[in-house]
């Protein structure tokens, strides 16, 4: 019996331009937040610097001055509330904007490939696809809302450590600068991971809407990590609605589902499809 080669469509790869656009939008908001918070906190710190770097005079219970730690704590709370409210608003907008861009690219990529192959198929998103889209938007919005929380955790630690150690303004400024770098790094990881995840997830939805049910796993090593279990999956055929068993996490997973996974898949063309 002659061997029949499995026919597949191309994998839809995450677009670097979309990742870059997402990262720039997140980073722009981070820079605005960090500039506002750093300038405000450093100004407040400077007003209390003499009391922070020197021993304060004894206080009587009836005439106690507010401590620098208390004043800095109130300043931190004020900035946190302001920026938490801002991120609540911006997170929804940015998430929807960028997941929509991914969805449009997935749709056009698959449509153009099918047209090239001579398949005249109209792509109509199902309820399942629409729900997956909204789920991706919600997941991204939640991740974006976590950015100010983690940033202010770091900032609060830096400020209170500076107050407790009697550091001067310059030393606090260096501490705050480190929190900015850490926050921007998080934005880079979120943009990379979520564009990868959205691309493969929405591609799966589109392919299932087309009646495609299986895929061939493509292992794509990451920049800093490559899961051995995913390397072993390379070339294996799997149901699109299930994925493949990953011994490391003890469950079935799909391409790009796990954090910073870059894997893709090629959908298998059914034998019933004839151009």
């Amino acid at each position: 019996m002659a061997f029949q080669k499995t026919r597949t469509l191309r994998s839809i790869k995450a677009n670097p331009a979309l990742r870059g656009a997402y990262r720039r939008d997140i980073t722009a908001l981070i820079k605005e937040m960090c500039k506002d918070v750093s300038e405000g906190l450093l100004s407040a710190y400077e007003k209390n610097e003499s009391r922070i770097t020197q021993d304060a005079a004894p206080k009587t219970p009836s005439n106690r001055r507010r401590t620098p730690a208390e004043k800095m704590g109130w300043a931190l709370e004020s900035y946190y509330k302001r920026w938490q409210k801002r991120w609540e608003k911006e997170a929804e907008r940015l998430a929807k904007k960028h997941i929509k861009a991914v969805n449009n690219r997935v749709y056009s990529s698959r449509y153009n490939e099918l047209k090239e192959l001579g398949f005249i198929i109209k792509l109509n998103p199902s309820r399942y696809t629409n729900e997956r889209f909204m789920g991706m938007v919600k997941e991204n919005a939640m991740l974006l809302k976590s950015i100010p929380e983690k940033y202010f955790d770091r900032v609060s630690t830096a400020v209170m450590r500076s107050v407790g150690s009697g550091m001067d303004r310059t030393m606090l400024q260096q501490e705050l600068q480190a929190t900015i770098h850490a926050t921007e790094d998080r934005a880079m990881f979120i943009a990379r991971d979520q564009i990868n995840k959205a691309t493969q997830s929405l591609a799966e939805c589109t392919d299932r809407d087309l009646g495609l049910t299986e895929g061939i796993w493509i292992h794509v090593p990451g920049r800093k990590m490559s899961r051995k279990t995913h390397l072993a999956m390379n070339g294996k055929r799997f149901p699109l609605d299930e994925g493949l068993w990953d011994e490391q996490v003890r469950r079935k997973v799909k391409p790009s589902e796990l954090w910073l996974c870059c894997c893709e898949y090629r959908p298998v063309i059914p034998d019933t499809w004839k151009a």
Side-chain angles (χ1 to χ4, degrees), residues 10 23 59 65 67 93 116 137 153 173 189 218-219 223 233 272:
R10 293 191 292 265
R23 180 184 177 183
K59 311 170 188 63
R65 295 168 61 192
T67 66
R93 181 184 68 83
E116 290 172 9
V137 170
D153 282 346
Q173 188 172 19
F189 286 123
I218 303 174
H219 172 255
R223 293 182 180 179
M233 294 174 184
T272 54

Side-chain angles (χ1 to χ4, degrees), residues 253-272:
V253 300
K254 298 177 182 180
S256 288
E257 178 185 344
L258 300 182
W259 176 246
L260 294 181
C261 175
C262 301
C263 294
E264 306 163 358
Y265 76 92
R266 297 192 309 272
V268 176
I269 300 175
D271 294 335
T272 54

Side-chain angles (χ1 to χ4, degrees), residues 44-61:
Y45 199 85
E46 190 171 20
K47 293 175 182 177
N48 294 276
E49 189 170 2
S50 60
R51 293 185 64 197
I52 292 171
T53 56
Q54 300 174 20
D55 291 333
K59 311 170 188 63
T60 62

